Amino acid sequence: MPEKFVVNPDGIQRASVPLVALAERLGGAFQQAAARLAADGSKAWGNDKPGQRFASGYVPAAEDIIKAGSGVSEVLDTSAENLRSMAEVLARANEAAKSTTGRLNGRLGGTQGRGGGGGGGRGGRA
């Protein structure tokens, strides 16, 4: 017997919500970090030789972390968008399948009493 495959488009849609929130929080945090790094007067390490040596290692590493973190935020946002699109496509496919099944049942005079079929147009999940 074939395995049953059930998809819940509403559940997929709901799954995108926390991803959007996380993407926004991470994006905001990394934007703040970038602004703070670039702000005047935030260079607590000073402009003397030891401070310059510290900055030469710290600033590029901090910029790389900010860039990577911003990338993670973008991936989360894109994933949420893809989940919403997937839910929409699956919901439309389900509606199209129900409509097609309903039309076929109408042309065949329904399936009641014929021993097969059993439910075209009833709905269900894609």
Side-chain angles (χ1 to χ4, degrees), residues 13 15-28 31 69-85:
Q13 173 69 31
S16 72
V17 174
L19 289 179
V20 171
L22 182 56
E24 289 174 357
R25 283 181 39 209
L26 277 176
Q31 285 176 347
S70 297
V72 169
S73 175
E74 290 174 24
V75 167
L76 289 170
D77 194 48
T78 300
S79 296
E81 185 178 319
N82 290 341
L83 284 172
R84 288 189 303 268
S85 295

Side-chain angles (χ1 to χ4, degrees), residues 92-103:
R92 281 195 309 236
N94 188 47
E95 289 303 313
K98 288 191 312 187
S99 175
T100 300
T101 303
R103 284 194 315 272

Side-chain angles (χ1 to χ4, degrees), residues 12-57:
I12 293 171
Q13 173 69 31
R14 283 190 305 275
S16 72
V17 174
L19 289 179
V20 171
L22 182 56
E24 289 174 357
R25 283 181 39 209
L26 277 176
F30 285 108
Q31 285 176 347
Q32 287 177 355
R36 190 167 184 192
L37 185 64
D40 290 337
S42 68
K43 295 171 182 51
W45 48 83
N47 200 24
D48 57 1
K49 197 165 198 133
Q52 290 172 355
R53 209 170 324 152
F54 175 82
S56 70

